[in-house]
Amino acid sequence: CVKSLKSSGALNAGGAQRYLAKTSFQAAVAFANKSYFGSGNALYKRPDFSGFVDTVYLGCFYTKVLKELDGFSTLNIQNQDTELNLRLADKQPNAIYLSADIQAWYYPRKNLLRLWSQYYRYGKGRRITHDQHPASNRLRGRLPFLLFLALIAVFVWSPIYFTGLLSGVFLLVLSDVSRSVINEYDSFIATQWRGDSNSQPKRLFLMFTGTISVGVMTLAHALGFMTQTIKRYLPFLK
């Protein structure tokens, strides 16, 4: 990290978020995150990419620069890295560098309830970051919330169309997660599976549970974003 920080001239250098799994559910979440619908298009999820980005997984900073910026924000404990990176980017162009040489590994949550709680907090944190940096709002962080509102609007307009739309979205996500499983299953088992060799996850389980995980992450993020939005305009609810 220090080598990349110095060679790139950036203010923060880190690697991609690389997934490991000890259980079939963790493996399903890993494939959910490889999907385009589970932020698989985010550069910090691409282990083969090197270059300047808007955020990295974890990271390495200059102490002097962090002190100049008053460190991490204490207003937001869920989205601190993104918020700090926005301030670093204001201080210097090309402030965040992602290096494919840096390998940082991550185990997903162990079950759907913990995954829901995680992404609900992420949604609340994303809303707080929007309030702190209104000029830097990115569409990617608001997509789960916008999709949630669109689904509610369709449901109010026509429950029949809502059922059809929801089925279509499910099949679209399922096809994308399945694409990742089909293309990367063998590589994942060989390099990222840390569970018992006799309990390797089945492909069909990864396809369907990965699809459900995408839905849980999206809905929890959207509800967290909405909850924090309501608290912002109705402060007595805090």
Side-chain angles (χ1 to χ4, degrees):
C1 285
V2 172
K3 181 180 178 181
S4 295
L5 192 64
K6 290 183 175 181
S7 63
S8 66
L11 301 180
N12 176 13
Q17 190 174 36
R18 302 165 186 254
Y19 288 84
L20 296 177
K22 293 181 180 179
T23 68
S24 294
F25 180 78
Q26 289 179 326
V29 175
F31 277 103
N33 277 277
K34 291 176 180 290
S35 164
Y36 288 113
F37 299 96
S39 72
N41 61 330
L43 291 176
Y44 77 95
K45 296 290 182 75
R46 290 176 49 185
D48 59 338
F49 179 82
S50 291
F52 290 100
V53 293
D54 57 4
T55 193
V56 292
Y57 177 57
L58 308 181
C60 178
F61 314 88
Y62 289 104
T63 303
K64 178 182 177 181
V65 175
L66 290 190
K67 287 182 176 180
E68 290 174 356
L69 296 177
D70 295 325
F72 282 98
S73 168
T74 57
L75 295 176
N76 189 355
I77 63 172
Q78 300 301 329
N79 207 37
Q80 284 182 321
D81 52 348
T82 299
E83 193 280 328
L84 175 62
N85 286 332
L86 288 171
R87 284 186 282 139
L88 290 172
D90 287 340
K91 184 177 180 63
Q92 172 186 302
N94 293 331
I96 320 300
Y97 186 77
L98 176 68
S99 171
D101 295 329
I102 299 171
Q103 297 189 17
W105 299 93
Y106 171 82
Y107 284 100
R109 297 301 192 269
K110 294 182 179 180
N111 54 54
L112 278 175
L113 183 60
R114 292 186 179 184
L115 185 68
W116 173 280
S117 177
Q118 177 188 19
Y119 275 82
Y120 180 79
R121 294 195 306 271
Y122 282 174
K124 294 178 68 175
R126 180 68 67 173
R127 174 69 226 203
I128 294 173
T129 300
H130 283 349
D131 293 339
Q132 291 175 285
H133 301 271
S136 301
N137 289 346
R138 295 184 175 90
L139 179 60
R140 189 177 73 201
R142 289 177 288 172
L143 276 178
F145 180 64
L146 295 176
L147 176 60
F148 178 66
L149 290 182
L151 289 174
I152 291 178
V154 173
F155 177 78
V156 173
W157 176 50
S158 173
I160 295 177
Y161 285 150
F162 170 80
T163 302
L165 177 61
L166 198 61
S167 299
V169 171
F170 177 84
L171 291 175
L172 189 62
V173 177
L174 176 62
S175 66
D176 191 49
V177 174
S178 299
R179 171 192 56 81
S180 296
V181 173
I182 292 170
N183 293 337
E184 302 180 40
Y185 179 84
D186 291 336
S187 173
F188 182 89
I189 294 299
T191 61
Q192 295 167 257
W193 176 248
R194 295 295 184 271
D196 193 301
S197 59
N198 296 320
S199 61
Q200 294 176 356
K202 304 298 183 182
R203 288 176 172 83
L204 283 177
F205 175 88
L206 296 177
M207 292 175 184
F208 283 95
T209 306
T211 300
I212 292 171
S213 297
V214 170
V216 167
M217 292 187 294
T218 302
L219 182 58
H221 190 288
L223 290 177
F225 191 99
M226 183 174 66
T227 299
Q228 192 61 40
T229 300
I230 293 173
K231 288 183 177 181
R232 181 180 188 275
Y233 293 105
L234 300 174
F236 61 85
L237 293 178
K238 292 182 180 180

